[in-house]
Amino acid sequence: MSNMVEIRWHGRGGQGAKTASLLLADAAFAQGKYVQGFPEYGPERMGAPIAAYNRISDERSSLHSNIYEPDYVVVVDATLLSAVAVTGGLKETGAIVINSEREPKELLDQLEGYKGGVYTIDASAIAGEELGNRNLSNTAMLAAIVKVSGVIPEDAFMKEMEISIKDTFSSKPHVIAPNMKAIERGLKEVKGL
C-alpha cells in the first residue's frame, strides 16, 4: 500500500508510548483514515522497554503484525538509544523523533549510521513545565510526530486532541489546559536536520 504510514514507538512502561499511539490512531480515524494502534509488551513492569505501533492509511489494510520497517520512529526515552535497536528497519525516507534536549546532530553517533531525518524535542522539559511531571512527555512527543510526519493536518489534530483530552480527563478538568499546551508546544518546538 503506497499511502500507508507506519510508525513505531519506543518507550518504557509507564511513559505513555502506548497511550500516545492510541491517541494518534483515534485522531487519524476521526479524519476518515483506516488505522491500527497497538502495543507490544509481555510481562514487563514499569520502566521496562516497550514498543507500540501505528498504521495509518487511506485504504483498509490486511496487515496485522508488528512493524519491522517503519516510516517513522518515536523515542520517548533517549536512554533507549543505547539499549534498543531503535533504528532497526527504519526507512531512510522517513525520520526518527527523539525526546532529548540535545540537537539532532549530537545524537547521530547513537543512531547506528541511520541516514534519514533526525528530529529532537525536549518533551521532558515541556512536560515538567506544563504538567509538573517530566515523565509525562507523551503528549508533546505525539504532537512532534504529527508535525514531522504530516500524517494528519495539524489543525485537525489539535481539534481531535481537544475532544480526546476533554473526554479522557472529564473527571480531572484541571489537566486539560496543560495537556493542550504541551501539545501546542510539541508542534512548535520540534527541531530537525
Side-chain angles (χ1 to χ4, degrees), residues 36-138:
Q36 294 178 11
F38 55 98
E40 173 194 30
Y41 53 87
E44 292 90 351
R45 59 186 178 269
M46 184 90 61
I50 66 109
Y53 305 93
N54 286 111
R55 280 195 182 91
I56 301 170
S57 177
D58 291 331
E59 301 171 20
R60 185 178 305 272
S61 171
S62 61
L63 291 173
H64 296 287
S65 66
N66 291 348
I67 296 172
Y68 301 103
E69 295 182 350
D71 299 291
Y72 299 95
V73 166
V74 181
V75 181
V76 179
D77 186 328
T79 64
L80 293 172
L81 294 176
S82 59
V84 176
V86 296
T87 58
L90 178 56
K91 296 175 185 168
E92 291 188 2
T93 55
I96 186 168
V97 181
I98 304 164
N99 177 8
S100 177
E101 71 281 354
R102 296 169 65 192
E103 293 294 320
K105 64 183 175 191
E106 295 176 63
L107 298 174
L108 291 176
D109 61 334
Q110 294 181 279
L111 300 180
E112 301 174 359
Y114 179 67
K115 304 254 188 281
V118 179
Y119 294 81
T120 60
I121 180 169
D122 195 350
S124 294
I126 292 171
E129 292 163 16
E130 301 300 338
L131 304 168
N133 186 338
R134 292 180 58 84
N135 290 328
L136 297 177
S137 58
N138 62 332

Side-chain angles (χ1 to χ4, degrees), residues 169-187:
F169 296 113
S170 61
S171 65
K172 301 178 187 177
H174 63 282
V175 302
I176 295 169
N179 270 286
M180 290 307 297
K181 184 66 175 166
I183 289 169
E184 289 172 19
R185 288 184 61 187
L187 289 170

Side-chain angles (χ1 to χ4, degrees), residues 17-37:
K18 177 185 101 169
T19 299
S21 75
L22 296 177
L23 285 170
L24 179 56
D26 286 346
F29 179 77
Q31 294 301 302
K33 304 283 187 180
Y34 289 93
V35 300
Q36 294 178 11

